[in-house]
Amino acid sequence: MTDLYQSIDVPFNYRHTCWFCGEPYFESYGFMPSPNYEHQAHPLMLPCCQECFTSCKSIKVSSLDLLRDKVKEQLHKRYAKHLQIGVNWTKEELEDCEFEGKALEGFRESAWAMFEIAKERVNYQGWPVSIDGIPVAGMTNVFQFEFDGICYTGLNHAVQQLALKHGIPQPYLEKVVELVGRSKMAYALRFCKTSYGYSDAQIAASLDSLKALLAEEAVNESMVDSPAVALTRSREFSISEIHDLILYRTQISAYAIQWALERGIDTLHKLAVQEDAFFEHFAKDSEMVAFTYFNGLQIYLEKRETDPLWAEQEDPNRELFARL
């Protein structure tokens, strides 16, 4: 570190690697937040490949994780055709197909490798960011969304890219995902692709039929007394004794914390197991509220897991979690 910049720690086995995508190192980019909410004093030097270095120069964001996400989104856009190969083909299908002509034969031989390289770059997570051995606070990837082996920067980004890949109107896919929930993306895509058409009237009719189907399923499920559900609600916590809080500029709802406590959920793994139940509970009034609550709860549980000292001494709800 000098008086002019700070370099992140680079593990020995990553010393010639781009932090964003894993490609060979070209140059370090000096990141300064804009706007600078945390009053960062010096640029943070990040190892980049030539492509990611160029991308960084045109991005103005307030945090390092947002910079990472914007670079990833540009990689998704730039290599959309390469990633499309994995949608249209399997490796075995490409190996078995009988293309004629040099161009098509070349595609058969190189296409899957092109897809795997693009996939590795957009999925690359980098190494934990620290300076002189001290982790950089505020870094999170809880908003990322994974589908079919591809990582997206968030649900909105996934919907945008998947709509493009599958030739589905983006607003239509957005509405279907809002109805069925983020955990049922494959179902949402199948439903959209089997629609009779994409005119306004046809989309409205398809959405009405989906709402009727989901309502019927909800009625059928409510008639079944599930012992598993009863066991998960064996605890009672008053909302008045639960403190909401703000972590990394994200509001953590007391209602989401109450839901987790009453079901004995104190880790990200347990939350993932109950993800469908969470969205079923909170999406009754608004899918957006459910997404907001879920993302906040993920950040909260990740903080408790990765910083046990904070969880034991500073978490305002530590006594409630101790009762689990």
Side-chain angles (χ1 to χ4, degrees):
M1 182 168 57
T2 74
D3 292 337
L4 301 178
Y5 63 86
Q6 295 175 308
S7 294
I8 66 170
D9 299 335
V10 180
F12 182 78
N13 52 323
Y14 293 109
R15 64 194 184 281
H16 301 303
T17 304
C18 173
W19 180 75
F20 294 96
C21 73
E23 285 287 288
Y25 172 80
F26 167 72
E27 182 63 88
S28 289
Y29 172 73
F31 170 64
M32 278 296 290
S34 177
N36 192 354
Y37 294 120
E38 305 296 333
H39 306 293
Q40 180 178 313
H42 305 291
L44 192 62
M45 305 302 290
L46 305 166
C48 300
C49 66
Q50 186 170 4
E51 195 169 2
C52 291
F53 180 81
T54 301
S55 296
C56 285
K57 291 194 294 183
S58 63
I59 298 172
K60 302 295 182 183
V61 288
S62 61
S63 65
L64 182 54
D65 48 358
L66 288 177
L67 175 67
R68 174 201 61 202
D69 289 349
K70 292 297 183 182
V71 171
K72 293 289 189 182
E73 289 172 5
Q74 290 196 15
L75 288 173
H76 268 276
K77 183 177 181 179
R78 191 171 294 120
Y79 294 102
K81 291 183 178 180
H82 295 187
L83 294 170
Q84 184 74 21
I85 294 170
V87 174
N88 296 333
W89 304 84
T90 66
K91 184 178 181 181
E92 291 73 22
E93 287 172 341
L94 279 171
E95 291 174 347
D96 295 340
C97 67
E98 297 180 358
F99 288 136
E100 295 182 359
K102 288 187 177 181
L104 292 177
E105 181 66 21
F107 172 79
R108 183 183 70 82
E109 293 176 353
S110 62
W112 194 255
M114 293 163 57
F115 163 69
E116 288 191 322
I117 292 171
K119 177 182 176 181
E120 288 176 2
R121 292 186 71 187
V122 299
N123 285 356
Y124 187 76
Q125 294 298 315
W127 56 90
V129 179
S130 62
I131 300 174
D132 296 334
I134 302 174
V136 173
M139 290 290 296
T140 181
N141 59 4
V142 298
F143 296 103
Q144 291 181 358
F145 183 87
E146 181 178 345
F147 178 74
D148 205 17
I150 303 293
C151 287
Y152 301 90
T153 60
L155 179 62
N156 290 338
H157 180 232
V159 169
Q160 176 188 18
Q161 293 297 309
L162 291 170
L164 183 64
K165 290 177 183 178
H166 293 276
I168 301 169
Q170 183 179 333
Y172 182 33
L173 181 57
E174 288 174 352
K175 292 176 181 177
V176 173
V177 171
E178 184 174 347
L179 288 172
V180 303
R182 62 183 287 155
S183 63
K184 296 182 179 179
M185 180 64 76
Y187 177 93
L189 288 170
R190 286 196 303 271
F191 182 86
C192 290
K193 289 192 291 184
T194 55
S195 299
Y196 290 108
Y198 293 142
S199 70
D200 291 345
Q202 291 168 325
I203 287 176
S206 295
L207 290 173
D208 287 341
S209 68
L210 177 59
K211 291 175 183 177
L213 175 63
L214 294 174
E216 182 179 350
E217 291 177 351
V219 170
N220 292 336
E221 290 176 3
S222 67
M223 297 173 64
V224 180
D225 184 15
S226 172
V229 173
L231 284 173
T232 60
R233 288 190 58 90
S234 58
R235 306 169 180 85
E236 293 293 336
F237 291 84
S238 171
I239 192 67
S240 62
E241 62 180 336
I242 299 172
H243 299 275
D244 55 9
L245 62 155
I246 295 177
L247 290 174
Y248 310 126
R249 301 192 297 276
T250 301
Q251 179 81 25
I252 317 299
S253 167
Y255 292 100
I257 298 172
Q258 180 191 41
W259 183 92
L261 288 167
E262 290 185 342
R263 290 156 181 79
I265 296 174
D266 56 358
T267 66
L268 286 172
H269 174 72
K270 292 179 181 178
L271 178 61
V273 172
Q274 294 286 337
E275 181 176 348
D276 287 347
F278 182 96
F279 280 95
E280 182 179 350
H281 180 82
F282 285 107
K284 295 174 183 176
D285 298 323
S286 168
E287 189 78 12
M288 183 59 66
V289 169
F291 289 147
T292 303
Y293 281 8
F294 189 78
N295 287 330
L297 188 56
Q298 283 184 309
I299 292 173
Y300 183 37
L301 294 179
E302 182 180 48
K303 175 69 172 176
R304 287 184 53 83
E305 286 190 69
T306 58
D307 193 346
L309 187 62
W310 178 89
E312 293 176 3
Q313 298 182 6
E314 299 182 42
D315 182 358
N317 299 302
R318 57 188 179 277
E319 295 180 359
L320 301 180
F321 279 95
R323 288 159 50 185
L324 299 181

